[in-house]
Amino acid sequence: MADAVKNCFLINAPAGSGKTTQIKSMVRGFMLENPKDNILCITYTNRAADELTGDLKSEHIFVGTIHSFLHNFMQRYFTHSDILNLYFERYGEFIKQRIENATGDAHIADSNEKYKEKYGQLDYEAVQRNITAIFYNESAFNSLYYGGLGHDDLISFSKCIFDRFPIIRKRISLRYQRIFIDEYQDTMADVLNIFYDAVASTNSQLYLFGDRMQQIYMNYDGSFEERFTLFNTVKMTTNYRSVTEIVTILNRLYHDPEFVQDNSDAMKQVKPDFPPRVIITNDVSTVLDKLQEEDSDTLVLYLFNKERFSAIGAPNLFQAFSRMNKYSFGRSYSAVDVLTAPYEENPDPLLRLSYCVVRMAENFQKGQYGPIIQTLKLNKSMFCQETCDIKRHSDKMQLFQKLTLVFAAIQNEAKTISDLLLSSVETSLVDKAYAENLFADTENEAALAVPAIELMRVLDYLDDPKVSTQHGVKGESHNSVVFVADNSSRTPNVFMYSFFDLLCRVPVSLQSFNQFYYAYSGELADLQNTIKTKISELKSADYSQHEHEILKKANSIVEQFSDNPYFQHICQAKYAEYLSKPGVTKAKDCLKESSVLGILSAYKLFYVGCSRARKNLTILLDRSKLQGDTLKQKEKFKELGFFVEEIVV
């Protein structure tokens, strides 16, 4: 192994180890020692950035997502002729193909017509003339005719610039003396390479914080593994969150002597109300209801937000916002971000107003009139001027009459958010122009038709959250957690019950499972590059054309991984079926990356879910979904530290 790079540090911070607190402490320490140094903190989400910036306010500290950083840093270069030339070098063929539209795609044809209407003509030379600057379009997709880079290409094209013009990359290390990347395990390899290349052989320092077991977003492709070995590794081994019994389970799940946690002295004194348990039942809903009755403070973890918001009683509200383009994958905010943000900080205008009105109505019902008047004064842009201008007792009485009507609209399950806003406008509570803008936004159409009572249910939940998802709980914790085990064939796939079967057959560890997945997925990617077709999209004609290459790769994979226990258990039977009787269907079945990734994702989600519990942990299994040897699985759960019981309803 090569010597470690002296200024690069990998900080493994497992669940409950106080990662955010440690980052803040290190940043404050560096600023005290070198007050003129500049510090860069790259976070995975805007919410994480907000959490850090609350305590780290300084002109010498930049905290933000990688997209906000690159947007800010690269703007000055995006108008340079050399960068524009590089843009056309990289995207020129895509632009030409889109102009030609050989497949007759209707969407592209419509886009081409709009370009002609705007610029008079559409050809490659016209596009070159009209693009005078590159920009970040804050979208999941590129707008190549206009120089607009989507989320992924902002990163990949920036890396392309840094690689072509190292002097620009060097300016990162000249500008920032300390660089922190939070949640490195969910960070694209291009991002890791950008900052590694920027600080290598400089006096700046790079710190990567995270935990590979909490890698639940598949942004990282494994291509940075060799460089990880060059980092100085620092371990945060104290768990400040969970009791001894739960920390023991987490260590056994991690199954790596290099990463063993001990819980804090304070948590060692805390005893759970019952041992961590696995409950196997034929009726998950009934048992879950009983568990929540026994402990009303229980946090229930579902696999997806759909189930989470259904449990809250707001399925339509979640569905409406999750379908909005502005909250689609890769945008600055997700549907969950805006639905769970308080109105004071909510970036969505419709929710900001709706939540604010509901909060005032709740205050009115409780007789808390002071906060209502204060809210109006602080949010004058959303409300009628005469309503905000309260001087006499009669003004208050008029306001309370308005809120009586508004509150009635919220409580009536037949009334929609549209009805609530119209009622608020008709009573001169809400500013008419503000409301008209909300109605004019076509993306709000579905949300306006949602029952208004769902707003109240979400706000009640935010006051006392008792439901979350296994994907969305990083950083959260609760005294009592119930993990509802489930599978998903939706992307990303999660095969939880297949993981339980694997767990009792193979000595699963994060390091060995990750190594196998990256090596295996690399072989599949190599095949796709060879045949120029996604394996999942193979048609009979494609297969016939490339059968030789596919068979060669399948045999090579079997030879390479025949002794690997993960391959033996997950993949080997499918490969044997295909190789004994080749065909397109069996080829797609055995060469399916999700067969491995779905189980690996389940492993990590199970760990993350268990790690949320401070004191009491319950795993709820559906008997009908168990697969494989259930007796072995029960024994494995006991080995991990669970008490196993069966409940028949």
Side-chain angles (χ1 to χ4, degrees):
M1 183 185 296
D3 294 335
V5 178
K6 64 179 182 179
N7 58 335
C8 293
F9 303 88
L10 184 69
I11 296 90
N12 286 296
S17 60
K19 170 172 62 69
T20 302
T21 300
Q22 179 67 15
I23 293 174
K24 290 179 181 178
S25 175
M26 291 178 68
V27 171
R28 290 194 194 98
F30 288 139
M31 290 306 297
L32 285 173
E33 293 174 12
N34 303 283
K36 293 185 179 180
D37 276 4
N38 291 313
I39 295 177
L40 172 64
C41 297
I42 299 295
T43 61
Y44 187 73
T45 64
N46 284 287
R47 181 169 290 188
D50 293 342
E51 185 179 353
L52 279 176
T53 50
D55 293 332
L56 302 176
K57 294 186 182 298
S58 167
E59 62 180 11
H60 293 287
I61 302 174
F62 180 96
V63 180
T65 64
I66 184 60
H67 293 95
S68 64
F69 166 72
L70 289 175
H71 174 66
N72 179 278
F73 187 84
M74 300 300 292
Q75 272 184 317
R76 76 196 72 181
Y77 307 112
F78 278 169
T79 57
H80 197 282
S81 59
D82 287 341
I83 304 301
L84 292 172
N85 290 336
L86 182 60
Y87 175 83
F88 286 105
E89 178 184 321
R90 184 178 177 92
Y91 298 107
E93 285 305 311
F94 294 106
I95 293 172
K96 291 175 183 176
Q97 290 171 17
R98 191 174 179 87
I99 293 171
E100 183 182 356
N101 192 18
T103 61
D105 185 291
H107 176 73
I108 294 176
D110 181 59
S111 173
N112 288 351
E113 285 303 314
K114 287 180 179 177
Y115 192 92
K116 291 175 186 176
E117 290 174 10
K118 182 173 183 179
Y119 292 105
Q121 68 181 92
L122 173 59
D123 53 43
Y124 187 63
E125 290 71 25
V127 173
Q128 285 183 301
R129 285 195 305 272
N130 292 330
I131 294 179
T132 58
I134 313 302
F135 66 97
Y136 173 38
N137 65 14
E138 300 188 45
S139 167
F141 306 100
N142 295 328
S143 42
L144 295 179
Y145 289 171
Y146 305 93
L149 298 173
H151 305 312
D152 289 349
D153 279 77
L154 174 67
I155 294 171
S156 60
F157 186 61
S158 293
K159 184 178 184 302
C160 187
I161 293 172
F162 291 136
D163 290 345
R164 179 69 63 87
F165 306 105
I167 185 63
I168 300 178
R169 183 174 62 212
K170 185 177 180 181
R171 286 171 185 164
I172 295 178
S173 59
L174 290 174
R175 183 170 177 179
Y176 297 103
Q177 286 68 55
R178 301 286 189 278
I179 299 171
F180 294 82
I181 298 181
D182 191 14
E183 308 287 12
Y184 77 83
Q185 75 279 355
D186 287 321
T187 302
M188 294 173 67
D190 274 351
V191 175
L192 298 175
N193 280 308
I194 285 171
F195 288 107
Y196 178 86
D197 289 334
V199 304
S201 303
T202 73
N203 291 323
S204 294
Q205 294 181 349
L206 174 63
Y207 297 85
L208 306 184
F209 274 82
D211 175 14
R212 291 196 178 200
M213 188 62 99
Q214 297 188 74
Q215 181 190 42
I216 55 180
Y217 306 101
M218 297 312 298
N219 295 325
Y220 174 66
D221 62 4
S223 61
F224 197 78
E225 292 302 292
E226 189 173 338
R227 282 187 159 181
F228 275 135
T229 65
L230 303 177
F231 280 67
N232 298 278
T233 300
V234 180
K235 302 168 190 172
M236 297 175 64
T237 59
T238 301
N239 186 311
Y240 297 95
R241 176 186 298 157
S242 302
V243 296
T244 302
E245 290 81 351
I246 292 172
V247 172
T248 297
I249 289 172
L250 296 178
N251 284 331
R252 289 172 180 171
L253 278 172
Y254 217 117
H255 196 202
D256 188 337
E258 293 295 316
F259 298 100
V260 176
Q261 280 189 299
D262 189 16
N263 59 336
S264 65
D265 291 338
M267 290 307 297
K268 285 177 181 176
Q269 309 306 314
V270 179
K271 298 300 177 186
D273 297 326
F274 50 82
R277 60 191 177 183
V278 171
I279 297 176
I280 303 171
T281 181
N282 63 317
D283 191 337
V284 169
S285 296
T286 300
V287 173
L288 182 58
D289 289 342
K290 187 174 184 297
L291 294 175
Q292 289 179 292
E293 286 176 11
E294 293 172 355
D295 184 356
S296 61
D297 194 40
T298 296
L299 175 70
V300 181
L301 296 182
Y302 291 99
L303 185 58
F304 289 109
N305 281 302
K306 180 181 178 182
E307 286 78 9
R308 174 189 185 185
F309 280 89
S310 292
I312 294 168
N316 301 296
L317 194 63
F318 171 72
Q319 185 178 58
F321 276 85
S322 63
R323 290 180 175 177
M324 291 184 182
N325 182 57
K326 58 186 172 183
Y327 303 127
S328 60
F329 176 77
R331 291 300 186 105
S332 295
Y333 296 97
S334 69
V336 175
D337 288 336
V338 295
L339 286 169
T340 56
Y343 76 84
E344 299 95 334
E345 305 166 9
N346 206 301
D348 184 85
L350 175 58
L351 286 176
R352 185 162 60 246
L353 174 61
S354 301
Y355 281 178
C356 186
V357 170
V358 174
R359 285 299 192 199
M360 286 196 297
E362 288 176 345
N363 288 333
F364 175 66
Q365 283 294 107
K366 297 173 184 176
Q368 299 170 345
Y369 305 130
I372 296 173
I373 295 170
Q374 185 69 14
T375 297
L376 289 170
K377 289 180 179 179
L378 292 174
N379 297 277
K380 290 183 178 181
S381 63
M382 297 192 296
F383 298 102
C384 290
Q385 186 60 44
E386 59 268 28
T387 301
C388 298
D389 192 19
I390 298 174
K391 295 180 179 178
R392 299 178 295 276
H393 179 71
S394 59
D395 297 332
K396 291 183 181 180
M397 296 307 296
Q398 287 181 357
L399 170 61
F400 297 155
Q401 287 172 2
K402 296 174 184 178
L403 287 173
T404 301
L405 295 172
V406 170
F407 197 70
I410 299 169
Q411 290 185 308
N412 186 338
E413 294 198 26
K415 298 291 186 180
T416 65
I417 295 176
S418 176
D419 295 327
L420 171 63
L421 295 187
L422 289 172
S423 172
S424 301
V425 171
E426 289 168 2
T427 57
S428 299
L429 175 66
V430 169
D431 179 70
K432 185 178 180 180
Y434 190 96
E436 285 177 346
N437 286 334
L438 299 178
F439 281 106
D441 187 342
T442 55
E443 282 216 273
N444 288 335
E445 186 175 343
L448 290 167
V450 170
I453 196 169
E454 293 194 14
L455 295 167
M456 182 184 293
R457 291 169 182 164
V458 173
L459 290 177
D460 286 344
Y461 159 75
L462 294 178
D463 288 338
D464 190 15
K466 299 292 177 60
V467 181
S468 191
T469 64
Q470 294 148 32
H471 283 85
V473 293
K474 290 204 293 189
E476 296 179 9
S477 62
H478 217 268
N479 277 338
S480 297
V481 167
V482 174
F483 182 104
V484 182
D486 207 352
N487 297 321
S488 170
S489 57
R490 289 179 280 175
T491 303
N493 301 120
V494 177
F495 304 141
M496 191 64 67
Y497 287 88
S498 295
F499 162 63
F500 295 146
D501 184 37
L502 176 75
L503 190 61
C504 73
R505 298 173 183 272
V506 173
V508 177
S509 75
L510 179 64
Q511 184 178 20
S512 62
F513 206 164
N514 265 343
Q515 284 176 343
F516 166 65
Y517 167 69
Y518 290 135
Y520 180 69
S521 63
E523 292 297 320
L524 298 184
D526 180 63
L527 174 60
Q528 289 192 160
N529 290 333
T530 299
I531 65 177
K532 308 299 182 186
T533 304
K534 286 187 177 180
I535 296 167
S536 60
E537 297 175 1
L538 272 177
K539 300 289 190 291
S540 294
D542 300 320
Y543 177 78
S544 298
Q545 181 183 352
H546 298 292
E547 184 177 49
H548 175 73
E549 294 97 326
I550 295 171
L551 280 168
K552 182 180 178 182
K553 176 58 72 173
N555 277 296
S556 172
I557 287 174
V558 170
E559 184 178 351
Q560 180 179 349
F561 298 111
S562 60
D563 294 331
N564 186 286
Y566 298 104
F567 181 80
Q568 291 171 352
H569 183 76
I570 300 170
C571 310
Q572 197 165 54
K574 296 290 186 184
Y575 276 82
E577 283 183 36
Y578 168 60
L579 292 173
S580 65
K581 193 174 181 180
V584 64
T585 301
K586 290 184 178 180
K588 290 166 68 174
D589 201 25
C590 83
L591 296 165
K592 192 186 297 181
E593 181 186 15
S594 62
S595 299
V596 176
L597 181 56
I599 299 177
L600 177 58
S601 296
Y603 174 31
K604 294 175 180 179
L605 285 172
F606 185 69
Y607 173 91
V608 170
C610 292
S611 74
R612 299 310 101 183
R614 297 191 198 114
K615 186 177 178 184
N616 303 316
L617 174 62
T618 302
I619 310 299
L620 200 51
L621 305 188
D622 186 333
R623 167 173 281 285
S624 68
K625 296 179 181 178
L626 288 171
Q627 52 189 264
D629 191 328
T630 56
L631 289 177
K632 281 187 176 181
Q633 289 174 46
K634 290 179 186 177
E635 288 304 312
K636 185 62 182 181
F637 282 126
K638 291 175 184 176
E639 286 179 22
L640 290 172
F642 289 102
F643 173 77
V644 180
E645 61 180 305
E646 294 198 49
I647 297 178
V648 179
V649 179

